[in-house]
Amino acid sequence: MKKQFNRMRQLANQTVGRAEKTEVLSDDLLQIERRMELVRSVSHNAHKRLVSYLQGQLGTDTEKRHKKLPLTALSQAMQDGGSQLGDESLIGKMMDVCGETENRLASELMQHEVQIERDIIEPLNQLAEVDIPNILKQRKQLAKLVLDYDSAKARWYQATKSNNQAMAAKVDCLKDEMDEALNKVEICKDQLSADMYNFASKEGDYARYYVMTHGWKSRRLGQPWRST
């Protein structure tokens, strides 16, 4: 409770300019942070649209997925119609043949959508809903630790300038508190920096998801495509 109060007081003093704010992240890391937030937003939107584009039900096993496809329902309707008309009917024969063809197309579509889910949709969801939020959560934790450090440093500095004996007696204790707070800041900053630079190094991998999406749509439209 006391630590939370000190954070709030320090934040209020920094907001109105009565206290200095320690900056622990470099300009490069601040730029990566802003880009991460944008990547999270666009990846979330892309994931949402891709899911809505699928004809099968996301996350189900292949058999259930196949049964839920509109092509499967069309195939069943044609084959039922062909059975009712019988082999002696030309229409019945054609309906049966077309029903089998639609069923094969449904199987191919199902397999293709399973691959899209595995190679594009799931990785995008992991990026937008797990990986980036975890790093941003670390960033918030670092901000809290920096507030703790700034608060401890301000209280230590006040104690060193005070003529009050009771306050002066706390200098060593406040110095230890400040050093401990700084150590926590450094540990968190080092881990956060490593994770943020790791994210930046993988942007090419993340971009490949969208290249694969382009290839998927091209094949759906019957257009040739080449991956870069």
Side-chain angles (χ1 to χ4, degrees):
M1 183 66 70
K2 183 179 179 181
K3 181 178 290 187
Q4 184 67 22
F5 172 77
N6 288 333
R7 284 177 184 168
M8 293 176 63
R9 183 172 63 180
Q10 184 68 23
L11 182 60
N13 289 335
Q14 290 175 351
T15 302
V16 299
R18 289 202 299 259
E20 294 182 358
K21 181 179 180 181
T22 301
E23 294 291 348
V24 295
L25 294 184
S26 65
D27 290 341
D28 286 345
L29 288 173
L30 292 174
Q31 184 177 359
I32 292 174
E33 179 186 8
R34 290 190 291 269
R35 189 157 68 246
M36 284 175 55
E37 292 172 343
L38 288 174
V39 170
R40 180 190 182 187
S41 177
V42 299
S43 297
H44 173 80
N45 292 335
H47 173 269
K48 184 178 179 180
R49 295 301 179 185
L50 280 169
V51 169
S52 67
Y53 193 69
L54 296 180
Q55 294 187 34
Q57 188 174 354
L58 190 69
T60 56
D61 60 49
T62 54
E63 184 177 355
K64 289 182 179 179
R65 197 171 196 143
H66 184 270
K67 288 181 179 180
K68 293 291 184 179
L69 288 174
L71 279 174
T72 303
L74 176 60
S75 168
Q76 188 62 50
M78 285 189 172
Q79 288 180 318
D80 289 346
S83 297
Q84 292 175 21
L85 290 172
D87 292 338
E88 296 179 358
S89 168
L90 180 60
I91 295 177
K93 289 181 180 180
M94 288 300 98
M95 289 188 72
D96 190 57
V97 170
C98 290
E100 291 179 0
T101 302
E102 294 294 339
N103 189 55
R104 287 195 296 271
L105 289 174
S107 296
E108 292 180 6
L109 177 60
M110 178 271 298
Q111 293 171 5
H112 184 60
E113 290 195 351
V114 167
Q115 181 182 356
I116 293 302
E117 181 180 348
R118 183 187 67 240
D119 295 343
I120 303 176
I121 293 178
E122 289 181 355
L124 277 180
N125 186 68
Q126 176 74 21
L127 177 64
E129 308 301 334
V130 179
D131 295 345
I132 294 180
N134 283 342
I135 298 176
L136 295 178
K137 185 178 180 179
Q138 286 188 65
R139 178 66 176 99
K140 291 181 179 179
Q141 178 63 20
L142 178 61
K144 291 180 180 179
L145 294 175
V146 170
L147 276 176
D148 291 342
Y149 168 68
D150 285 344
S151 175
K153 182 173 68 172
R155 286 182 281 113
W156 170 78
Y157 181 77
Q158 289 174 358
T160 61
K161 299 300 181 181
S162 175
N163 294 323
N164 187 301
Q165 291 184 352
M167 182 66 73
K170 295 181 178 180
V171 170
D172 291 342
C173 181
L174 290 172
K175 179 66 165 57
D176 290 341
E177 183 180 340
M178 180 182 68
D179 290 343
E180 182 181 356
L182 179 58
N183 184 55
K184 290 181 179 180
V185 167
E186 292 298 330
I187 292 173
C188 185
K189 184 190 74 172
D190 290 345
Q191 182 61 55
L192 176 64
S193 299
D195 290 343
M196 293 178 78
Y197 280 125
N198 184 54
F199 164 82
S201 70
K202 291 183 177 179
E203 282 207 37
D205 296 333
Y206 304 144
R208 194 169 294 115
Y209 300 151
Y210 297 97
V211 175
M212 294 171 66
T213 302
H214 168 71
W216 168 42
K217 290 182 178 179
S218 296
R219 288 192 294 272
R220 287 288 297 274
L221 295 173
Q223 299 172 352
W225 76 288
R226 288 188 300 174
S227 175
T228 55

